Amino acid sequence: MRDDAALSVKDLTISLGRNQVVHGLSFEIQPGKTLALVGESGSGKSVTSLAIMRLLPDRIGRALGSIRLGKQELLTLPEAQMRKVRGGRISMIFQEPMTSLNPVQTIGTQLAEVIRIHRRLKGQALQEAVLDMMRKVRIPDPEERVKQYPHTFSGGMRQRVMIAMALACNPSLIIADEPTTALDVTVQAQTLELLKELQRVTGTAVLFITHDMGVVAEMADDVLVMRDGREVEHGSVHEVFTRPKSPYTRSLIEAAPSLVGKLGTDTKAAEPVAELPIAAGVEPLLVVRNMTVQFPVHGGLLGRVKGAVHAVEDVSFAIGKGETLGLVGESGSGKSTIGKAIINLAPLHSGNIEVAGQAVDYRDRKSLALLRRHVQMIFQDPFGSLDARQTIGSAIMEPMRVHGLQTGRAAEERMEWLLERVGLDPARASSLPHEFSGGQRQRICIARALAMSPQLIIADEAVSALDVAIKGQIIELMIDLQKEFDVSYLFISHDIAAVERICDRVAVMYFGEIVEIGPRDDVIGRPGHPYTRRLLSAIPITHPDQRATGTRRAPDAAPPRSPLKPLDYRAPPARWARASDGHFIRDAS
Amino acid sequence: MGQGSLQPSASVDDGDRVTRGHVIISFLIKRLGFAAFTLFAVLTLVFLIVRILPGDPALVILGDQASPESIAALHHRLGLDQPILTQYGQFLWNALRGDLGNSMITGRSISVEIMSVLPYTIELTIASLLLGVLLGVPAGVWAAVKRNQIPDIALRLVSLIGLSLPAFVAAIILLMIFAIYLRWFPVISAGGGTDIIDRLRQMALPTLSLALIMMAYITRVTRSAMLEVLNQDFVRTARAKGASQYATIWRHALGNSLIPITTVVGLYLGILIGNSVLTEIVFSRPGLGKLILTALTQRDYTLLQGMIVIYTLMVVVVNLLTDLTYGFLDPRVQYK
């Protein structure tokens, strides 16, 4: 072991209560270098970071072994001295920028606190130091923003505040715990860029905790892969990506999207078309024409309607029988609203929707009942979308009973058969949701959706909350079930890797509008619209070797467009161009 | 809001710059409108109740043996011979000017009667509220920090006793111990008092007996609010910054627990006003409590009517203040 390591951890063993969660972990980080700690939820990576900060839960968390910061042993340090280390010599950036800042204190106060504690500045000097840090992390108008509260900041801006707090006292180690997981890809790219640049300037060591191998390829010098509290693989980033030793590491690496940037942009100019042909070659199951969804905004003394948020603006597309259409875009692009509007969970302002050749009349109860039989939905959060007090068997049978499809013994038989289809033991039908893991719960939700023999399933970020390996399994399951039941999917996701694996066609959403639609290989491999290119280029690379190509990224911020429009606003007519067969690009100008 | 990911956080400045002061004034106007409506509804209800109650007020006042002439004369004097709508209009108009009529029994102006004892009740309520908050908030914080340890268990027990003990029982126990056995405080709190020390000594026991109940409520709500906040990410952030235990708990965590605490304080202020009735009786202290007791025992309907209006007014004012306080405690609160 070299003496000059910024952090060296030796034989670290952590237990929470009676459970040992980390077993004999050893690693070290040199100044200015980044070690990526990779693993799925429950692998012990976040607990390790809390142990280094000595922030394990009181009275139940116990760490044994050795953690040395420079030459100082941290595990035996008295709490009073440990407080000087925290925020001063080791600082931390957390995953959730939305909840990691105190909502009732101004940004300035929170930044000032850490500087006051460790650099002992006061008054004008403190104020200057705060503004200086805000400029360093490139928060625009720091003099204005310093007086504002966290809820007026976007996720990316809040994470910049967290980075500013982390760097404010020139720490020798920064622990970044999934710092960009909650951010959109374009914001993630900007944030990672900023973090790398500031690290280059300050020479700080970084312990980067993540589950995303793309981010690892982007950021790390060394990689340590963890599983169930044990080291699985440890080596330089190049070594690990080029010759992964363990099959587990290999599966993590393979989960990254593979088409992005492989095919290159089409040089052939797209030819303008008069109108976007909606129905694709096959017999369309779902046709959406000119869908617009608006939410009124009230204001003024009497709460009159001031304008409307145009969440979805004149969107048209179709899904064929047995086909999967991916709807991708960043948060706030309106992709989830489209799914909700189809099944009447969001108010449709105008437009027509046809399911299986029949126009849906949202004012007619019979038409709605039919719609709900044909179209089912799977949500992101498998924890929240199951009733905690209802057995899973009953949850799956409920829709059949409500719609009078099957009752009694027949419903039970079908429920058991469905559980088997989604890979669960029918004997567990009388169990409650909390007895299942996240992946199993998503299987239950899929079984419940299939209970109605729907023709279309809307999957809204259905795999986004799952770990990489589980995510793969669920996608495989969805593909298998599609073949078996000939069901169509509307797959709404921000996760390009998942979209790439399951979708036949992809539509890209930007500020409520579809800007590009076409076959998967064309849209992801040969993107035509500038926004699609920017979105795809923001996706982390798949191998550290790709880092050298500096031209890969165009992190310029999008011109901010407000979705809030005055009442008399009419969207300008869209002009479309055809790039290749079935691949259409909206005119960007 | 649950619908549409595009729903903007309305607080993000969308170029439509309205100052917060401006918004507060428009909020205040709206809330005052609601308050006026509530008062109007209560006035109407009170007016109707007195008209529906069986028995002729003139008979109550004059007795069974009264002659028809004197009853008619009294009807005329009380305005009872007017059409009901005229009576109603007159009643509202008088209430608007602060005139709640005269007592049926003593004939004295109800407004004057109430105003002469109202300061005592307000003084007692505010003093017990302050004492309850000063004791309850630190106790709740301490219980949350020492969760499931001895201080927490002890405080939970104490607050449970405080909640279960009726106000007058606590008052009588305090009276027995501190006024009769120990003789530290006077048995009868006549109000007033010769100087400030005397006045405080007279107030001490009634205040304490009400504050104990208030403290019990506040301890419980502070504890649960703190437990929730202490688990939140920003508290971890504060600790990771190297903030001391003291700063983490009192500045970061308590600052975020104040909203539920304020809600409970606002709610229980109403209960406190109600409890003060019994406390005032036990300590023979002047105040609304004694007045309402008199009104009840003498079936003084007009006095009761006036007192209901006053109680409503107090509750409405407390609610208004609570709503306004939210905005000072939490920048995310929208005045709508």
Side-chain angles (χ1 to χ4, degrees), chain B residues 152-182:
Chain B
D152 180 28
I153 294 166
L155 280 167
R156 268 154 66 191
L157 196 70
V158 168
S159 69
L160 186 66
I161 293 171
L163 289 181
S164 344
L165 212 59
F168 62 92
V169 176
I172 290 171
I173 293 173
L174 284 173
L175 199 63
M176 300 254 292
I177 298 176
F178 293 103
I180 294 175
Y181 295 126
L182 296 172

Side-chain angles (χ1 to χ4, degrees), chain A residues 288-305:
Chain A
V288 172
R289 277 199 189 88
N290 311 104
M291 177 196 275
T292 298
V293 179
Q294 303 180 349
F295 299 106
V297 173
H298 300 270
L301 260 183
L302 299 165
R304 271 168 306 138
V305 179

Side-chain angles (χ1 to χ4, degrees), chain A residues 83 86-87 94 99-105 110 113 116 118 149 151 165 295 301 306 309-311 332 337, chain B residues 3-4 6-8 11 14 16 26 30 149 233-234 236-237 239-244 251-252 256 331-332:
Chain A
R83 261 205 305 275
R86 276 185 216 129
F94 294 103
T99 55
S100 293
L101 290 169
N102 186 340
V104 306
Q105 286 188 351
Q110 298 187 54
E113 185 178 24
R116 192 168 37 79
H118 300 286
Y149 291 92
H151 69 279
M165 287 201 306
F295 299 106
L301 260 183
K306 259 193 336 195
V309 170
H310 289 223
T337 311
Chain B
Q3 43 172 253
L6 252 184
Q7 195 77 295
S11 49
D14 53 5
D16 190 32
S26 99
K30 265 184 243 172
Q149 297 170 50
D233 292 346
F234 62 82
R236 189 183 52 184
T237 307
R239 292 191 67 195
K241 276 192 214 172
S244 64
R251 217 166 316 130
H252 290 279
N256 278 280
R332 290 165 300 178

Side-chain angles (χ1 to χ4, degrees), chain A residues 60-80:
Chain A
I60 52 166
R62 224 154 36 93
L64 297 171
S66 155
I67 299 173
R68 278 173 45 211
L69 182 71
K71 293 184 171 28
Q72 194 166 32
E73 175 59 50
L74 295 183
L75 281 183
T76 53
L77 206 62
E79 175 64 22

Side-chain angles (χ1 to χ4, degrees), chain A residues 121-432:
Chain A
L121 293 180
K122 278 199 189 98
Q124 196 59 39
L126 180 62
Q127 199 57 28
E128 265 314 305
V130 167
L131 290 177
D132 188 46
M133 280 320 297
M134 288 179 75
R135 281 185 209 111
K136 264 191 194 146
V137 296
R138 281 185 241 117
I139 294 173
D141 307 321
E143 288 86 358
E144 274 293 306
R145 303 294 275 181
V146 73
K147 286 176 269 172
Q148 294 177 352
Y149 291 92
H151 69 279
T152 61
F153 282 58
S154 66
M157 280 297 149
R158 282 185 225 197
Q159 207 55 303
R160 279 168 194 246
V161 175
M162 287 299 289
I163 293 173
M165 287 201 306
L167 288 169
C169 304
N170 284 322
S172 42
L173 173 71
I174 292 180
I175 302 175
D177 187 356
E178 304 262 12
T180 56
T181 307
L183 303 176
D184 276 324
V185 274
T186 51
V187 182
Q188 163 170 297
Q190 293 163 17
T191 311
L192 292 179
E193 199 73 32
L194 176 77
L195 202 58
K196 255 200 286 195
E197 192 189 309
L198 292 173
Q199 186 190 10
R200 212 176 298 135
V201 177
T202 56
T204 311
V206 175
L207 176 63
F208 201 100
I209 296 171
T210 184
H211 69 277
D212 184 344
M213 287 307 270
V215 174
V216 175
E218 198 91 51
M219 298 294 289
D221 297 299
D222 295 292
V223 182
L224 194 158
V225 182
M226 280 181 83
R227 191 177 200 186
D228 298 329
R230 287 196 172 79
E231 173 189 313
V232 172
E233 183 146 7
H234 190 176
S236 78
V237 68
H238 195 84
E239 223 172 85
V240 170
F241 271 87
T242 313
R243 285 179 299 277
K245 285 189 216 98
S246 105
Y248 180 65
T249 314
R250 207 169 302 132
S251 76
L252 289 180
I253 294 172
E254 280 164 5
S258 55
L259 277 176
V260 177
K262 289 278 166 64
L263 303 170
T265 45
D266 225 339
T267 44
K268 193 176 64 173
E271 50 187 273
V273 286
E275 205 182 340
L276 175 69
I278 295 169
V282 283
E283 172 200 354
L285 173 76
L286 170 81
V287 182
V288 172
R289 277 199 189 88
N290 311 104
M291 177 196 275
T292 298
V293 179
Q294 303 180 349
F295 299 106
V297 173
H298 300 270
L301 260 183
L302 299 165
R304 271 168 306 138
V305 179
K306 259 193 336 195
V309 170
H310 289 223
V312 178
E313 184 79 69
D314 196 17
V315 160
S316 304
F317 62 90
I319 302 178
K321 209 163 169 39
E323 187 194 42
T324 302
L325 175 72
L327 212 49
V328 300
E330 296 179 90
S331 54
S333 62
K335 56 188 192 303
S336 288
T337 311
I338 290 182
K340 287 179 184 156
I342 292 173
I343 58 163
N344 203 27
L345 289 179
L348 192 63
H349 182 263
S350 63
N352 303 308
I353 291 163
E354 271 173 39
V355 176
Q358 284 208 318
V360 181
D361 182 355
Y362 286 92
R363 280 159 305 181
D364 179 26
R365 289 183 56 189
K366 270 194 199 143
S367 177
L368 275 180
L370 199 66
L371 170 78
R372 293 200 172 111
R373 272 182 59 176
H374 288 320
V375 183
Q376 288 289 308
M377 198 147 180
I378 311 171
F379 296 95
Q380 170 168 7
D381 180 10
F383 295 75
S385 43
L386 287 168
D387 182 345
R389 288 155 189 266
Q390 188 181 29
T391 66
I392 61 146
S394 153
I396 294 170
M397 286 186 291
E398 192 174 17
M400 295 190 248
R401 292 210 174 109
V402 168
H403 286 266
L405 292 185
Q406 244 127 15
T407 46
R409 188 65 211 143
E412 241 162 82
E413 271 165 18
R414 182 166 169 81
M415 176 269 291
E416 282 167 8
W417 179 75
L418 280 168
L419 276 179
E420 221 167 313
R421 301 308 318 139
V422 298
L424 290 173
D425 182 1
R428 297 190 67 188
S430 56
S431 307
L432 291 170

